[in-house]
Amino acid sequence: MRKVSLAGIGFIKIKEYWERPLSALFADAALAAMKDAGTDKLDKLYVANMGSAVFQDQLNVGAIMADAISKPHLPAVRVEAGCASGGAAFHEAVREVASGYSDCVMVGGVEKMSDVLPESVTTLMAMAEEQEYTAYTGVTNAGLSAMLHRLYLDSYASPEEVGMMAVKSHDHAVNCGHAQYPFKMSIERAMASPMEADPIHSMECSGIGDGAAAIILTPLKGSGIEVAGSAVATDYCSLCHREDPLVFNAVKTASDKAYKMADIKPSDVDLAEVHDDFTINGVLSLESLQFCEKGKAASIVANGGIERNGVIPTNTFGGLKARGNPLGATGVYQIAEITLQLRGAAGEHQVKDAKIGLAQNMTGLASTCAVNILRRTDR
Amino acid sequence: MRKVSLAGIGFIKIKEYWERPLSALFADAALAAMKDAGTDKLDKLYVANMGSAVFQDQLNVGAIMADAISKPHLPAVRVEAGCASGGAAFHEAVREVASGYSDCVMVGGVEKMSDVLPESVTTLMAMAEEQEYTAYTGVTNAGLSAMLHRLYLDSYASPEEVGMMAVKSHDHAVNCGHAQYPFKMSIERAMASPMEADPIHSMECSGIGDGAAAIILTPLKGSGIEVAGSAVATDYCSLCHREDPLVFNAVKTASDKAYKMADIKPSDVDLAEVHDDFTINGVLSLESLQFCEKGKAASIVANGGIERNGVIPTNTFGGLKARGNPLGATGVYQIAEITLQLRGAAGEHQVKDAKIGLAQNMTGLASTCAVNILRRTDR
């Protein structure tokens, strides 16, 4: 297998783009990534997208995005794994380069959520749950996460400690040019916000936004940013089939594989981007990634452990909560942000001496999870 | 790269399954494939599906199908390329084994179309066209194909000659256990059927059905059925951007690559499964696959050239028209059928001494096309 290098990244600010189509958002990110990589000679395109069939009545987005960037003959395909589409598509793209099949592969994530009413987004997000057992009941992702949140509060932490996951993410988003919500939010404001699904406050939920991010992968030559580990895993889709609903087995399985590939321990990771679509899911992800013991993450978060100089700097540009969560594009944003960190190009978001970064992207309360680990090779 | 072997196949009869969910259809095909391969030790699952977000409000079908076959921790992902999802997912699965990443990979296609009204199927199929330029006009796939059909009739063939594509497919489906329409249809009946989109008669269109098919890939050891070539290509999505709308460039590009990988000429192919969702598309596919010159395919079809003992036996179990076209599963059915032929297990559908078979699966009037070539290695 060849080592794979992050040769270029591109992304747009996450916000509501009322006047622009899906393909234009994608093209902006893709062209920026090609410029960053200094090449437009693509061999293959993987498009990560969750909701376009519902939001835009659009399928076959592989060909459509290839056409949009003036590559009308490129092999192109869409990878969909719900909200984990970005991380899962990146995983496939890594294999395409590592195996020697292709020398220059783009993985681009795109999502346009503002074309529909918010309730349609809620419905779409629930489609990551199995209709036959779970989604048909009408339960939302917030509702399912609320059950985990309640269980966690019963044993391990206060509402404020869990809520600090959102507060810290907002702290990190300040002055982030591509973040949807680049401002501070206090724990008092979070706790005073209306309940989305008790005990989850609305200010503990990621929002609705449009975004696109793209990455170009090539074989590693000399030094650079390499993909050190990459894995996807699944779990029982229904929470009621899981032995312990507070352990995300897919996160654990995928991270175990990725750590092994990278030949590192969780404590070797210098920064992480975790899937904090709801505060509780960010907290549980930190635990299932094995950065700390079960039940400890909320208190670590509340005590500054995920800050830039903390034990595990996390969501350094704001995470899903404050940078934004354009579903299928989110996992690609995570990896682009880690690339900025490892390049030492993260500006005031910079984690000092960052050498190893981990991106964790999941869907359906971790019924699918992708974990990708990047490493700066010695310069 | 390792050579990749077709180790197992499984599929269900295509029909309307009112009483069974999507996951049950998938599981039936998947379990049959595992039984056929003599193993249930899967390393990875690729799920091909086009419409479940619209038909069943279901996304994240990678994890959901892994769970359905009692593999709740398997790496699993969905590949979507419209009606070409099956062929494109197979292409990704081949790479996964060839590269050495995985030793036993399942690619399973599933589609359940009878859960919705026929007009919803028409709407979904149009989603393979770009909304911004084409689909928003309200034109259907049949309508777009009708433009090509008209153009072809103007220069190259009679309506009856093109219509014979459907007649021959029906001939081939007789006594096929998994075909949706296993009966003969006369050219008179086809030509007397109502216009779906002038000049396409309704009996020249593939129908609506539910189906699932699965294939297990492993490294080739000794003799067997190998994947000799596999490629995906795209083209301008809008017909008006193409130099000659009667040439499917994506079909030509993908087949050129696949022929080169297999080190064969088109004339070396012993049988083909082509994407005859409408008769004209089957005819044009035969030409773009370079089995004959431009403008000649309809007359070859009408003169028996695609029969079992013809120059290029095609759609030997009935093709999309008569075997059935369960969208995301169709490309997987094609490959399973070729496997039966190369095993010499096709019964009364058997093409004598079949050694090399080609499957062509496309979407959006060939804005995406997958071509996969299988070869029986010497026994």
Side-chain angles (χ1 to χ4, degrees):
Chain A
M1 293 293 158
R2 305 192 291 189
K3 289 190 173 188
V4 178
S5 164
L6 278 281
I9 59 172
F11 45 77
I12 61 173
K13 180 177 170 67
I14 299 170
K15 61 174 191 167
E16 295 174 0
Y17 291 94
W18 293 94
E19 76 292 6
R20 309 199 69 209
L22 190 71
S23 55
L25 304 187
F26 181 87
D28 279 355
L31 296 177
M34 287 191 276
K35 189 176 173 191
D36 186 47
T39 183
D40 64 353
K41 303 261 180 291
L42 304 182
D43 297 323
K44 190 161 184 181
L45 171 64
Y46 289 88
V47 177
N49 168 270
M50 179 176 183
S52 66
V54 174
F55 296 154
Q56 284 84 31
D57 290 345
Q58 188 67 75
L59 286 164
N60 191 26
V61 289
I64 285 161
M65 298 309 156
D67 199 352
I69 58 171
S70 296
K71 305 280 182 196
H73 305 297
L74 197 63
V77 79
R78 170 188 173 214
V79 172
E80 184 266 313
C83 306
S85 298
F90 181 83
H91 175 74
E92 295 301 320
V94 169
R95 291 162 127 62
E96 180 76 13
V97 176
S99 63
Y101 270 116
S102 294
D103 288 330
C104 189
V105 172
M106 176 180 286
V107 50
V110 64
E111 204 78 63
K112 190 159 194 290
M113 304 164 74
S114 60
D115 284 351
V116 297
L117 295 170
E119 51 265 40
S120 297
V121 173
T122 301
T123 301
L124 182 104
M125 288 182 67
M127 292 183 192
E129 299 294 332
E130 188 163 12
Q131 284 291 340
E132 298 290 320
Y133 290 100
T134 306
Y136 86 99
T137 64
V139 70
T140 61
N141 284 55
L144 290 165
S145 300
M147 290 196 264
L148 303 186
H149 199 138
R150 170 63 62 203
L151 207 55
Y152 195 85
L153 295 181
D154 284 349
S155 301
Y156 300 118
S158 69
E160 287 78 10
E161 284 175 312
V162 177
M164 284 301 284
M165 187 84 214
V167 174
K168 296 295 177 186
S169 286
H170 271 277
D171 283 352
H172 292 169
V174 172
N175 292 331
C176 170
H178 64 276
Q180 186 173 14
Y181 306 116
F183 49 76
K184 280 176 175 284
M185 179 190 66
S186 68
I187 187 66
E188 292 75 19
R189 183 170 173 205
M191 293 295 113
S193 64
M195 284 294 179
E196 179 79 15
D198 190 357
I200 301 180
H201 302 82
S202 61
M203 287 298 162
E204 296 183 89
C205 310
S206 59
I208 293 174
D210 308 332
I215 286 168
I216 290 179
L217 296 173
T218 61
L220 182 70
K221 287 170 189 156
S223 65
I225 315 288
E226 68 163 343
V227 183
S230 178
V232 168
T234 62
D235 196 3
Y236 294 104
C237 295
S238 172
L239 288 179
C240 66
H241 291 154
R242 300 183 189 174
E243 200 173 340
D244 180 350
L246 292 184
V247 173
F248 288 153
N249 263 317
V251 180
K252 193 168 179 313
T253 306
S255 61
D256 275 342
K257 275 196 206 177
Y259 291 139
K260 195 176 168 192
M261 284 175 75
D263 195 21
I264 60 170
K265 303 182 298 295
S267 59
D268 294 327
V269 174
D270 296 316
L271 81 150
E273 294 295 324
V274 305
H275 199 91
D276 62 325
D277 51 351
F278 301 99
T279 47
I280 184 64
N281 292 340
V283 166
L284 293 176
S285 292
L286 287 167
E287 296 179 5
S288 294
L289 287 166
Q290 305 160 68
F291 291 136
C292 64
E293 284 175 41
K294 190 181 167 199
K296 303 285 188 196
S299 125
I300 288 172
V301 168
N303 288 297
I306 64 169
E307 294 174 6
R308 272 195 284 286
N309 57 359
V311 287
I312 178 68
T314 300
N315 294 357
T316 59
F317 290 85
L320 278 65
K321 175 68 189 82
R323 170 241 293 129
N325 180 22
L327 307 179
T330 293
V332 186
Y333 274 96
Q334 290 180 322
I335 293 164
E337 289 168 347
I338 288 173
T339 304
L340 283 178
Q341 288 282 4
L342 301 190
R343 284 178 179 177
E348 64 181 83
H349 304 275
Q350 187 65 47
V351 173
K352 203 179 160 201
D353 297 329
K355 196 178 168 193
I356 297 175
L358 176 149
Q360 173 251 351
N361 186 206
M362 67 185 196
T363 196
L365 292 168
S367 66
T368 303
C369 180
V371 172
N372 290 290
I373 297 176
L374 309 189
R375 176 162 44 201
R376 190 188 74 214
T377 61
D378 290 338
R379 289 185 281 202
Chain B
M1 294 293 159
R2 305 192 291 189
K3 290 192 172 185
V4 178
S5 164
L6 279 282
I9 60 172
F11 45 76
I12 61 173
K13 179 177 171 68
I14 299 170
K15 60 174 192 168
E16 295 174 0
Y17 291 93
W18 294 93
E19 75 292 5
R20 309 199 68 209
L22 191 72
S23 55
L25 303 187
F26 181 87
D28 279 355
L31 297 177
M34 288 190 276
K35 190 175 173 192
D36 186 46
T39 184
D40 65 354
K41 303 260 179 292
L42 303 182
D43 296 323
K44 189 159 184 183
L45 171 64
Y46 289 88
V47 177
N49 168 269
M50 179 176 184
S52 65
V54 174
F55 296 155
Q56 285 84 32
D57 290 345
Q58 187 68 75
L59 287 165
N60 191 25
V61 289
I64 285 162
M65 298 309 155
D67 199 351
I69 58 171
S70 297
K71 307 279 181 194
H73 306 296
L74 196 64
V77 78
R78 170 187 172 215
V79 172
E80 185 265 312
C83 305
S85 298
F90 181 82
H91 176 73
E92 295 300 321
V94 169
R95 292 163 126 62
E96 180 76 13
V97 176
S99 64
Y101 270 116
S102 294
D103 289 329
C104 188
V105 172
M106 176 181 285
V107 51
V110 64
E111 204 78 63
K112 190 158 193 291
M113 305 163 74
S114 61
D115 284 352
V116 298
L117 295 172
E119 51 265 41
S120 297
V121 173
T122 301
T123 301
L124 182 104
M125 288 183 68
M127 292 183 191
E129 298 296 331
E130 188 163 12
Q131 284 291 340
E132 299 290 320
Y133 291 100
T134 307
Y136 86 98
T137 64
V139 70
T140 61
N141 284 54
L144 290 165
S145 301
M147 290 195 265
L148 303 185
H149 199 138
R150 170 64 62 201
L151 208 54
Y152 195 86
L153 294 182
D154 284 350
S155 301
Y156 301 120
S158 69
E160 288 77 10
E161 284 175 313
V162 177
M164 284 301 285
M165 187 83 214
V167 174
K168 295 296 177 186
S169 286
H170 272 277
D171 283 351
H172 292 169
V174 172
N175 291 331
C176 170
H178 63 276
Q180 187 173 14
Y181 306 117
F183 48 77
K184 281 177 175 282
M185 179 191 64
S186 68
I187 188 66
E188 292 75 21
R189 185 174 170 200
M191 293 297 112
S193 64
M195 283 294 179
E196 179 79 15
D198 190 354
I200 300 181
H201 301 84
S202 62
M203 286 298 162
E204 295 183 89
C205 310
S206 59
I208 293 173
D210 308 332
I215 287 168
I216 290 179
L217 296 173
T218 60
L220 182 70
K221 286 171 188 154
S223 64
I225 315 288
E226 67 162 344
V227 183
S230 178
V232 168
T234 63
D235 195 2
Y236 293 105
C237 295
S238 172
L239 287 179
C240 66
H241 292 153
R242 301 184 189 173
E243 199 173 341
D244 181 349
L246 291 184
V247 174
F248 289 152
N249 263 315
V251 179
K252 192 169 178 314
T253 307
S255 61
D256 275 341
K257 275 197 207 176
Y259 291 139
K260 194 176 168 193
M261 283 176 75
D263 194 22
I264 60 170
K265 304 181 300 295
S267 59
D268 294 327
V269 174
D270 297 316
L271 81 151
E273 294 294 325
V274 305
H275 199 89
D276 62 324
D277 51 351
F278 301 100
T279 47
I280 183 64
N281 292 341
V283 166
L284 293 175
S285 291
L286 286 167
E287 296 179 7
S288 294
L289 287 166
Q290 305 159 68
F291 291 137
C292 65
E293 283 174 43
K294 191 182 167 200
K296 302 285 188 197
S299 124
I300 289 172
V301 168
N303 288 297
I306 63 169
E307 293 174 7
R308 270 194 285 286
N309 57 359
V311 287
I312 178 66
T314 299
N315 295 357
T316 58
F317 291 87
L320 279 64
K321 175 68 189 81
R323 171 241 292 129
N325 180 21
L327 306 180
T330 294
V332 186
Y333 273 97
Q334 290 179 322
I335 293 164
E337 288 167 347
I338 287 173
T339 304
L340 283 178
Q341 288 282 3
L342 302 190
R343 282 179 180 177
E348 64 182 82
H349 305 273
Q350 187 65 48
V351 173
K352 204 179 159 199
D353 297 330
K355 194 178 169 191
I356 297 176
L358 176 150
Q360 174 251 352
N361 185 206
M362 68 183 195
T363 195
L365 291 168
S367 66
T368 304
C369 179
V371 172
N372 290 289
I373 297 176
L374 309 189
R375 177 162 46 203
R376 190 189 72 214
T377 61
D378 289 337
R379 287 185 282 205

